[in-house]
Amino acid sequence: MSQAPVVIVGAGPVGLSAALRLSALGVPSIVLEAERVAAHDLRASTFHPPTLEMLDTLGITELLIARGLVTPNWQIRLHETGERAVFELGHIAADTRYPFRLQCEQSVLCQLAEEKTANDKAIEIIREVEVVSVEQDYDGATAVAADGRRFEGRFVIGADGGRSQVRKSCGFEFEGFTYPETTILATTKFPFQDHIAGLSNVNYCWSANGTFSLLRLPNIWRCSLYSDAGESVEQALDPSAIETKLQRIVPLDAPHEVMEIRPYRIHNRIVETYRKGNVILAGDAAHLNSPSGGMGMNGGVHDAFALAEAIAGILAGDDERLLDRYSRSRKMIAQEQILQQAHRNRTRMQERDPAARRAELARLQAICADPAQSRTFLLKSSMIEGLRQAQAMQ
């Protein structure tokens, strides 16, 4: 049996952030990961300002910035006309040291975080450990692996993603729904920025054929596409169907070079509580939302920091009700800020009526033209407002 004050299940951005923050607060942890090597598939790619501020306390932010694209504005566009609402993050420069979005792969954060743990004696990462259940009593909790190994701690953190075995094992209800559409992610090195005037690194686009988004990373563009009317998901995943959609965005005489195609379903779900006794959830294990707006991974990192601080406080002698406060505040933020905002973002981009699109674009352009309105809008979309609400609940 392996022991540490805290056992963390999942070595993704949430689990690693929790381990590093705990270490900074003087709390050792064991991190258990089912996979043999770190994942490099395409997942989240946007870092918001408050996340960069948190990661800076771990010595990671400047390393991330060196590997990513600083993005001072993002936009919503009518593709055929090029009309757009451009949100300039300079309007929140007085509110954050990082008034921009950073476009960088989630896997880079995991790599940098794991490199930090390699020299940290308070953190042990053990890979190829498939946690199948969690047991607990008054004094602590134990993560049980498929091979029978047991990892005991005062607390167990479930940071094992949307299919969390910790959540399932402990009977957390995971209420919500799955959106009907399947999003199709296609990546390409095609330089959209050279062919579409005024393009940002982050673009949400209405077009005559539906909707799509273009998100730029240092070496590729991520294109989020959807099935055409009457087109099955299987048909939409065919390379020829992907090419048809990319040709609508930028027509070429030759095919676009597509590097990867991946479908994924989008969910809107949240647990009824983040805590059951000595087992606490964070990140996708606790809440799932539409990726529109890039709030999922960021919210998970925010969970990790808040949870680490609560646990460190308890281990230092504070009341265990800190964990109940963590559960209430982070659930409130997830419901009222992350899930609702992501749902609104998705609903906006799924609008098909041309008149409604144009009216919404005009509303957004008016916000962009007014510094005070822009600041209010960006404080919310950049997740600063939610964190301020959470702090006010402390």
Side-chain angles (χ1 to χ4, degrees), residues 1-273:
M1 177 181 291
S2 296
Q3 289 184 291
V6 183
V7 176
I8 301 170
V9 182
V14 177
L16 293 172
S17 294
L20 287 166
R21 183 58 181 153
L22 283 167
S23 177
L25 295 168
V27 178
S29 64
I30 292 173
V31 182
L32 308 177
E33 172 56 48
E35 299 300 322
R36 184 176 62 84
V37 296
H40 289 281
D41 55 327
L42 289 168
R43 300 191 185 187
S45 61
T46 292
F47 291 83
H48 286 297
T51 311
L52 295 172
E53 291 184 355
M54 291 179 188
L55 295 174
D56 187 46
T57 68
L58 305 179
I60 289 176
T61 293
E62 293 307 315
L63 300 173
L64 272 177
I65 290 173
R67 300 272 295 272
L69 292 177
V70 170
T71 301
N73 63 61
W74 58 275
Q75 54 189 250
I76 295 174
R77 303 175 62 99
L78 284 174
H79 180 59
E80 282 74 19
T81 66
E83 296 167 274
R84 53 195 178 269
V86 182
F87 293 91
E88 298 286 352
L89 278 85
H91 290 300
I92 58 172
D95 300 279
T96 176
R97 290 179 288 119
Y98 300 102
F100 51 83
R101 287 187 178 188
L102 182 70
Q103 290 300 106
C104 187
E105 296 95 330
Q106 171 181 311
S107 59
V108 175
L109 169 58
C110 292
Q111 176 193 335
L112 294 172
E114 197 154 349
E115 288 173 359
K116 291 284 183 182
T117 67
N119 299 314
D120 192 325
K121 294 181 179 179
I123 301 172
E124 181 182 8
I125 298 178
I126 308 175
R127 291 191 169 274
E128 296 185 271
V129 177
E130 180 188 355
V131 172
V132 294
S133 65
V134 177
E135 302 170 358
Q136 64 172 315
D137 55 26
Y138 180 81
D139 295 321
T142 302
V144 183
D147 60 8
R149 282 181 290 173
R150 299 169 65 84
F151 301 86
E152 183 178 294
R154 177 68 180 82
F155 300 104
V156 168
I157 295 176
D160 49 340
R163 296 178 177 150
S164 172
Q165 190 60 33
V166 174
R167 183 186 67 233
K168 294 173 184 175
S169 170
C170 295
F172 287 85
E173 294 294 326
F174 201 36
E175 299 175 348
F177 59 90
T178 300
Y179 291 104
E181 306 88 8
T182 295
T183 301
I184 300 167
L185 176 64
T187 62
T188 176
K189 291 185 177 181
F190 179 75
F192 287 103
Q193 71 276 13
D194 295 338
H195 296 263
I196 301 176
L199 204 63
S200 169
N201 292 333
V202 177
N203 312 272
Y204 305 101
C205 308
W206 285 306
S207 76
N209 295 288
T211 184
F212 62 91
S213 65
L214 297 175
L215 276 66
R216 189 180 181 187
L217 291 165
N219 299 311
I220 59 170
W221 280 89
R222 293 173 52 137
C223 312
S224 292
L225 310 169
Y226 297 89
S227 302
D228 289 342
E231 184 181 49
S232 69
V233 174
E234 291 73 19
Q235 291 171 327
L237 285 169
D238 188 274
S240 64
I242 299 295
E243 181 60 27
T244 295
K245 294 174 177 61
L246 293 176
Q247 287 286 345
R248 291 172 186 161
I249 298 172
V250 175
L252 295 177
D253 294 332
H256 294 75
E257 180 185 359
V258 176
M259 303 173 67
E260 182 179 353
I261 299 171
R262 183 168 68 86
Y264 58 92
R265 299 300 301 274
I266 297 173
H267 308 273
N268 188 302
R269 298 184 183 277
I270 192 167
V271 289
E272 84 282 11
T273 176

Side-chain angles (χ1 to χ4, degrees), residues 303-363:
D303 287 349
F305 269 67
L307 178 52
E309 288 156 14
I311 288 175
I314 292 166
L315 294 175
D318 286 346
D319 195 293
E320 281 203 19
R321 284 178 292 184
L322 283 176
L323 287 177
D324 296 323
R325 192 178 302 162
Y326 160 80
S327 179
R328 287 194 303 271
S329 64
R330 291 309 305 167
K331 181 175 180 180
M332 181 273 291
I333 296 307
Q335 285 181 312
E336 298 182 9
Q337 297 285 338
I338 299 176
L339 271 71
Q340 287 186 20
Q341 181 69 29
H343 179 73
R344 284 193 292 269
N345 292 342
R346 175 201 165 275
T347 301
R348 175 194 297 129
M349 296 316 300
Q350 290 298 322
E351 178 61 64
R352 293 296 190 269
D353 180 66
R357 286 178 169 181
R358 188 161 288 283
E360 177 65 0
L361 182 65
R363 185 186 75 86

